[in-house]
Structures are given as structure tokens and as C-alpha cells.
Amino acid sequence: MAKPKRDNRKVEGDEVIRVPLPEGNQLFGVVEQALGAGWMDVRCEDGKIRRCRIPGRLKRRMWIKVGDLVIVQPWPVQTDKRGDIVYRYTKTQVDWLIRKGKISQEFLTGGLML
């Protein structure tokens, strides 16, 4: 029997969104530095730099480089210092987020925060 296809679309107003957005206490972030062993320094939209790890399920599926836009899930214990990388955006998805006003070009280049 065929596995049912997972539908990751959401409706915002009358527009269908296929790009995952941060939910709950998740944040947008830009990878600043790769530290090795699955750890990265990420500049988050709240202005803090968090040391984030890439969980094994993501590490095996995709490469994350310096300058990539990601979704960060802060840890419950060291909320301001540590977090997990939950998702990495592709170039097409980043362009869509900029066009729709979800993020700014200055945030990506390291200028002004949202």
C-alpha cells in the first residue's frame, strides 16, 4: 500500500504557504561560523548569537554552510546561548521570504535586525 503524501502547506489569509515558518519560540537565524562536529554559531533575529547544533537527522540529509538562513529552536535550559537548527531554507525560499516581508535583506547581510 502506498504511503500517504505529507501535506506541509498552510493557509495565511487566502494564500497557500509552502515554506515552513518559525512556530512557538523558534526564530530565524543566519549561520555565522561553522565550528565542526555539527555545531554552528548562529545570529538570531532577536540579536543574540547562539551556539547551535545540527541534529543527526538533519546532518545526514543536508549540508549547512556559513550564510544559510535557518530556523533555530532555543534550548529550554540555556535559552540565550544554545539551540538546535531545525530547518535550512533554500535560495528560492529565502527570495520568497524577502518578497513577502517575513525577513529583511539587512538581516541576511548582518546589518539591521528585523
Side-chain angles (χ1 to χ4, degrees), residues 1-2 6 9 52 67 72 81 83-84 90 95 108 111:
M1 183 164 175
R6 203 174 109 191
R9 294 179 291 180
C52 297
V72 174
K81 297 184 182 198
D84 288 330
T90 64
D95 292 341
L108 291 176

Short mmCIF file of all heavy atoms in Angstrom, two decimals, residues 1-2 6 9 52 67 72 81 83-84 90 95 108 111:
data_model
loop_
_atom_site.label_atom_id
_atom_site.label_comp_id
_atom_site.label_asym_id
_atom_site.label_seq_id
_atom_site.Cartn_x
_atom_site.Cartn_y
_atom_site.Cartn_z
N MET A 1 0.84 -1.19 0.00
CA MET A 1 0.00 0.00 0.00
C MET A 1 0.88 1.24 0.00
O MET A 1 1.87 1.31 0.70
CB MET A 1 -0.90 -0.03 1.23
CG MET A 1 -1.85 1.10 1.29
SD MET A 1 -3.13 0.73 2.50
CE MET A 1 -3.96 2.24 2.46
N ALA A 2 0.50 2.23 -0.79
CA ALA A 2 1.28 3.46 -0.91
C ALA A 2 1.16 4.31 0.34
O ALA A 2 0.11 4.37 0.98
CB ALA A 2 0.81 4.25 -2.12
N ARG A 6 2.66 13.59 2.62
CA ARG A 6 2.52 14.55 3.71
C ARG A 6 2.29 15.94 3.14
O ARG A 6 3.02 16.40 2.27
CB ARG A 6 3.78 14.55 4.56
CG ARG A 6 3.53 15.07 5.95
CD ARG A 6 4.74 14.91 6.79
NE ARG A 6 5.24 16.25 6.99
CZ ARG A 6 6.41 16.53 7.49
NH1 ARG A 6 7.23 15.59 7.82
NH2 ARG A 6 6.79 17.77 7.65
N ARG A 9 1.53 22.30 3.52
CA ARG A 9 1.05 23.63 3.17
C ARG A 9 0.21 24.20 4.31
O ARG A 9 -0.49 23.49 5.01
CB ARG A 9 0.20 23.57 1.91
CG ARG A 9 0.99 23.17 0.70
CD ARG A 9 0.12 23.10 -0.49
NE ARG A 9 -0.79 21.96 -0.33
CZ ARG A 9 -1.70 21.60 -1.21
NH1 ARG A 9 -1.86 22.30 -2.29
NH2 ARG A 9 -2.46 20.56 -1.00
N CYS A 52 24.58 26.61 18.11
CA CYS A 52 23.53 25.65 17.76
C CYS A 52 24.14 24.37 17.22
O CYS A 52 25.16 24.39 16.56
CB CYS A 52 22.60 26.25 16.70
SG CYS A 52 21.72 27.71 17.27
N GLY A 67 26.29 31.54 6.17
CA GLY A 67 25.44 32.42 5.39
C GLY A 67 24.05 31.86 5.12
O GLY A 67 23.20 32.57 4.60
N VAL A 72 15.91 28.27 14.14
CA VAL A 72 16.58 27.85 15.38
C VAL A 72 15.53 27.61 16.46
O VAL A 72 14.63 28.43 16.66
CB VAL A 72 17.59 28.94 15.85
CG1 VAL A 72 18.17 28.60 17.20
CG2 VAL A 72 18.67 29.12 14.82
N LYS A 81 21.84 31.06 24.95
CA LYS A 81 23.17 30.66 24.49
C LYS A 81 23.19 29.47 23.56
O LYS A 81 24.10 29.34 22.75
CB LYS A 81 24.06 30.34 25.70
CG LYS A 81 24.27 31.53 26.58
CD LYS A 81 25.22 31.20 27.70
CE LYS A 81 25.34 32.45 28.57
NZ LYS A 81 26.48 32.42 29.41
N GLY A 83 21.01 26.28 21.12
CA GLY A 83 19.81 25.93 20.38
C GLY A 83 20.07 24.82 19.39
O GLY A 83 21.21 24.36 19.23
N ASP A 84 19.02 24.38 18.73
CA ASP A 84 19.10 23.37 17.68
C ASP A 84 18.67 24.00 16.36
O ASP A 84 17.76 24.82 16.32
CB ASP A 84 18.17 22.20 17.97
CG ASP A 84 18.66 21.32 19.10
OD1 ASP A 84 19.89 21.24 19.29
OD2 ASP A 84 17.82 20.71 19.79
N THR A 90 16.20 27.02 1.31
CA THR A 90 16.88 27.07 0.02
C THR A 90 16.88 28.52 -0.48
O THR A 90 16.18 29.38 0.07
CB THR A 90 16.16 26.18 -1.01
OG1 THR A 90 14.85 26.70 -1.23
CG2 THR A 90 16.09 24.74 -0.56
N ASP A 95 14.29 33.94 -1.15
CA ASP A 95 13.76 35.00 -2.02
C ASP A 95 12.28 35.23 -1.75
O ASP A 95 11.81 36.37 -1.69
CB ASP A 95 13.96 34.65 -3.49
CG ASP A 95 15.43 34.66 -3.89
OD1 ASP A 95 16.24 35.27 -3.16
OD2 ASP A 95 15.76 34.03 -4.92
N LEU A 108 19.88 39.38 6.59
CA LEU A 108 20.71 38.36 5.95
C LEU A 108 22.16 38.80 5.83
O LEU A 108 23.06 37.99 5.96
CB LEU A 108 20.16 38.02 4.56
CG LEU A 108 18.84 37.27 4.52
CD1 LEU A 108 18.39 37.10 3.08
CD2 LEU A 108 18.96 35.93 5.20
N GLY A 111 23.27 43.43 8.76
CA GLY A 111 23.02 44.84 9.10
C GLY A 111 22.01 44.95 10.23
O GLY A 111 22.15 44.34 11.28
#
